[in-house]
């Protein structure tokens, strides 16, 4: 599996950064230290001193700089060395990589590819817990599985019927319904109407869950692994009346929630999974948000159990191929997009080397 | 070390299968799911969905079928796919391996080789805890060691004097006595008379342990690693009077017990060890059985400690060869038999590929 | 990194050997069993029976001999086999390696190279807890890091300013001071004057720590990784008056302590670190010794944290080179010495093979 390098990867929830001091993350096997200079700006560097390779994440912030707490070398935000204690000259090669880093939508985004191409316009239009229109909770999980398997899981909601019948209260309809899948810029869009549906856990009150409705769900899934989803329920007949086109969510009668989910590869066999969920501010309360987050934690742990088990089987039978089904349309399209972008990047790199 | 594939491997004590739902085992690095259909029959399949390779052992039994609880594919007992939710056609290649499986003598046996050759007549004539002639307890241990090392241990009882002097009360005689080793169908037989012996723990009462006797022991050790052993004590002089031939165990004065032990390779460095032990029903009580099982658990843990330690040394010094001694006669003959059977299987496979 | 094999490696503090029975250590990936014969002499053998490779460290001492507690083979102190139970003849190849071993300065030293070259004169002139001139405590740590990284750490005290500002109370002066580094027989000597210094934790009383002094420190670092260090403080001006040559420590006004530290490679990624520390007997008390050991345990754990983290970065970025600084003079000279000795050994071995 290829990864796209020229993309913004989620490194952390902004809220989960420590109040002071450096913070270590690993993305695609690269150890990165993130810290906030006294000016408030975020800085991301290779997490490795040039001297004896000690991790800078065990170091100390000094103004906009970061000092290695092994033998005291001091680093500038651009990765150059400002000071070697007891030594007058700084060699030219004394330099580590500096990563483009942006704090947006409550996520810390790191650009893993060519810094010259790091355009913040490529950051997906997420909504963070700080957005006043929504009441969002947030969390994250560590996975002992390849990031791609988590992407695949989120691109095929037929698993809801079998993995989440209790947590989300998903019926068999999820497995039989085939959504509309369309390409968008740097991603794909998955929309579906499910008609004559009972309510789902958390999104409708217990009393009203028996009442049937038409359910609309839509999500955009962006490279390198960011899902933004919303939806709501409408009176039975709405889908048909709209000829199964997108409804106006402002007119939904219930169940309008938003969730953002992002997957970052840590190593080839581990990943970090970030998620938020909550109701629209005008429809919900903090109690509803917390109830939804309780459901989400249970459901996302169900995903983790099956995906980590899947990874173990894959590792033990590396020669066995998967067999896609009709439910994999979005999975196939998304992975094809990733392969194409990765190939193009590779071609560009070869070209620039040839020059 | 080669393994024989055309053989019945013990997967579990029947009593240890869950009352409902699938059960995961691994034999020779193959992940297998076992379940009981609603008809009561046992079914064993590859533990891997054809779709995205999730383990079926996390699935749900439905009648005689097993449903994957990732995206809902339903499997028949023969490994074919009965249903792909939301998809009309089932591709021909949608099939996993089905293993011959038999429930006999309280053991679940799985045939790891060519299914066409899976003859239940090859199942060793074990005696299970359900046999009314014996009062047997049962248990199992997980080993961090290659199955072969456990086989070797059981084929050379000279270790009793040094590993089990306390648990079994074994004297030095075990290390100096050389048993008679004879080939049998798919195995070898090890018999021995030990004359003028004091009693052993569990098999004689404390008061009578000082009295000397002639002790008869016999066991058959079958491919792929199943030991069936019995024996008893007789008045001093019996061995000589019988010219050291086999006695009539019905005339033994004490100590008639039976033990079955089976070793199944899990991976190249792990194994599962199943064991039973107990007195003949007309000579014993449940108290005696439980006392024997207490001794067995202590003794088999002593074996585990030394064998796992041996495995670590082997792994760290892979170039060092073992040096067989005269006590290894049964070990050498049994391993030669295994090598021969494995070679013949290999030749047959090459032949059938050539046709 | 090469290691010198013709050298004495510390296997244990003598005080930490068990009162009876064998003791397992691993040095440079070789498993070794140490035991004391009934005569009191130390014996060190390969920890592996010739028969089925079980570890002898699970065995039983019998007089000057060691019996394997798997099948009972009995080994002589020279590694030959004295007895195979039930077998009359002992094959000539039934022999394991015996290591030269010496108990000196409260350390058990094992010679890892050619036994013919094992001269106890090569044992560094350490001082043990049994020496009446000093009041020394002792301890050890297990490291998940290569031994060389711990050597490097001890050869460059510029880390004191950043790793041990709290535990040792080290100031920035340590990072800026450049010691005198001189070659000695099988090692190097590192000496330094630090002038106008405040006191350090443990070596001066709290009241007197504000008073400035000239501080003298000297240590010898011997192959394969043994550091012997002492020092003391003198009135300001002493260093200059002595033209920065070595002072007479008997005239020190305070802070005369001794520490011995030894690093033994266990595997390529693990090591054992032995240490002692304490005041001169005429200057200290057991309370001062225990207080120093408390500081040492805290400080050496600070080293362990940064060095194990450094090892992880090295393992993850194996292609990245270190960049020596001026503070690495002793590190560079010592490692050059080790490389030279290792090369000479290698040449000798090739020569003797060629003969």
């Amino acid at each position: 599996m290829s990864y796209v390098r020229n993309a913004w990867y989620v490194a952390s929830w902004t809220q989960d950064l420590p109040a002071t001091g450096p913070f270590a993350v690993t993305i695609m096997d690269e150890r990165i230290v993130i810290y906030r200079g006294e000016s408030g700006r975020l800085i991301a560097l290779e997490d490795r001193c040039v001297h004896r390779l000690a991790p800078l994440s065990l170091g100390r912030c000094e103004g906009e700089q970061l000092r290695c707490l092994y033998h005291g070398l001091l680093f500038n935000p651009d990765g150059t060395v400002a000071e070697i204690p007891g030594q007058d000259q700084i060699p030219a090669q004394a330099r580590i990589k500096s990563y483009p880093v942006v704090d947006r939508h409550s996520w810390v985004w790191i650009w893993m590819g060519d810094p010259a191409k790091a355009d913040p316009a490529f950051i997906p239009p997420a909504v963070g817990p700080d957005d006043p229109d929504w009441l969002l909770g947030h969390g994250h999980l560590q996975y002992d599985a390849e990031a791609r398997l988590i992407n695949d899981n989120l691109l095929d909601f037929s698993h809801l019927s079998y993995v989440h019948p209790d947590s989300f209260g998903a019926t068999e309809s999820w497995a039989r319904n085939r959504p509309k899948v369309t390409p968008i810029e740097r991603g794909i869009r998955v929309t579906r109407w499910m008609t004559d549906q009972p309510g789902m856990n958390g999104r409708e009150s217990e009393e009203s869950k028996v009442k049937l409705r038409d359910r609309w769900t839509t999500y955009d899934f962006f490279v390198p692994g960011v899902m933004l989803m919303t939806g709501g329920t409408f009176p039975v007949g709405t889908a048909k009346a709209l000829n199964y086109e997108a409804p106006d969510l402002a007119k939904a009668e219930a169940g309008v929630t938003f969730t953002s989910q992002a997957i970052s590869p840590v190593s080839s066999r581990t990943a970090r999974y970030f998620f938020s969920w909550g109701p629209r501010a005008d429809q919900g309360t903090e109690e509803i948000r917390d109830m939804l987050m309780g459901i989400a934690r249970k459901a996302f742990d169900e995903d983790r159990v099956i995906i980590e088990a899947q990874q173990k089987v894959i590792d033990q039978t590396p020669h066995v191929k998967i067999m896609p089904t009709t439910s994999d349309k979005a999975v196939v399209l998304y992975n094809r997009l990733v392969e194409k972008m990765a190939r193009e990047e590779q071609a560009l790199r070869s070209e620039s080397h040839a020059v």
Side-chain angles (χ1 to χ4, degrees), chain A residues 2-318:
Chain A
S2 311
Y3 286 111
V4 175
R5 294 198 61 91
N6 284 334
W8 294 98
Y9 284 82
V10 174
S12 175
W13 285 106
T14 310
Q15 291 86 341
D16 295 349
L17 289 176
T20 60
F23 184 76
V25 299
T26 298
I27 300 177
M28 294 161 73
D29 279 321
E30 298 186 19
R31 300 170 73 111
I32 300 168
V33 55
I34 302 171
Y35 67 100
R36 213 179 269 288
E38 66 183 349
S39 68
R41 75 182 268 214
L42 279 179
I43 298 150
L45 300 175
E46 270 186 293
D47 190 9
R48 186 184 65 231
C49 182
V50 294
H51 175 217
R52 296 203 161 265
L53 321 188
L56 299 178
S57 52
L58 294 182
R60 179 173 67 210
C61 298
E62 299 186 1
E64 302 293 293
Q65 299 170 308
L66 183 60
R67 188 180 295 279
C68 178
L69 283 187
Y70 195 5
H71 301 95
L73 278 72
L74 185 67
F75 290 82
N76 294 313
D78 66 356
T80 56
V81 174
E83 182 197 354
I84 301 176
Q87 180 170 327
D88 295 333
Q89 292 228 302
I90 312 280
Q93 83 269 26
R95 170 163 211 160
I96 52 174
K97 192 171 164 180
S98 171
Y99 294 83
V101 56
V102 172
D103 179 358
R104 188 175 292 182
H105 315 308
S106 288
W107 270 334
V108 176
W109 305 84
I110 294 195
W111 181 264
M112 296 300 293
D114 178 0
K117 296 195 163 56
D119 185 348
F122 292 141
I123 294 177
V127 169
D130 55 347
D131 190 294
D133 291 345
W134 300 91
L135 283 168
L136 301 180
H138 75 281
H140 73 265
L141 277 175
Q142 190 68 21
Y143 259 80
D144 282 332
E146 186 186 358
R148 184 184 62 84
L149 299 185
I150 313 171
N151 290 347
D152 290 353
N153 178 63
L154 293 175
L155 285 159
D156 175 7
F157 272 21
S158 76
H159 78 273
L160 265 70
S161 307
Y162 306 102
V163 181
H164 308 307
D166 299 329
S167 53
F168 284 143
T171 64
E172 288 262 321
S173 308
W174 287 95
R176 308 199 178 277
N177 178 285
R178 291 291 168 267
K180 194 160 133 189
V181 179
T182 45
I184 56 173
E185 184 68 19
R186 295 176 70 90
I188 61 162
R189 177 164 295 163
V190 180
T191 62
R192 82 181 79 209
W193 273 108
M194 291 166 67
T195 55
D196 307 294
Q197 293 292 308
M200 288 182 78
N201 293 342
R203 274 150 290 188
E204 287 88 18
S205 69
E206 283 303 313
E207 313 83 72
S208 80
K209 272 170 68 179
V210 290
K211 186 183 149 199
L212 297 189
R213 302 160 165 102
D214 285 0
R215 173 179 302 284
W216 165 254
T217 312
T218 180
Y219 63 86
D220 291 349
F221 199 96
F222 294 99
V223 170
V226 178
M227 181 177 97
L228 308 176
M229 177 165 104
T230 187
T233 62
F234 296 81
V236 166
T238 306
K240 200 173 171 196
L242 288 171
N243 201 20
Y244 297 89
E245 294 297 323
D248 179 358
L249 268 182
K251 297 186 181 153
E253 56 173 35
V256 178
T257 62
F258 173 82
T259 173
S260 62
Q261 301 177 28
I263 302 99
S264 291
V266 174
S267 71
S268 62
R269 284 296 174 271
T270 56
R272 196 163 275 248
Y273 174 51
F274 303 91
F275 54 90
S276 74
W277 201 22
R280 212 162 61 192
D282 60 359
Q283 284 192 343
T285 62
E286 294 191 350
E287 286 68 39
I288 290 176
R289 178 198 64 196
D290 294 345
M291 186 261 298
L292 286 174
M293 283 301 290
I295 292 173
R297 284 179 201 284
K298 187 181 168 193
F300 297 161
D301 212 52
E302 291 165 343
D303 288 318
R304 193 184 52 75
V305 167
I306 190 79
I307 292 171
E308 290 185 347
Q310 176 196 15
Q311 179 73 68
K312 283 200 185 117
V313 177
I314 289 172
D315 288 343
Q316 210 166 345
T317 55

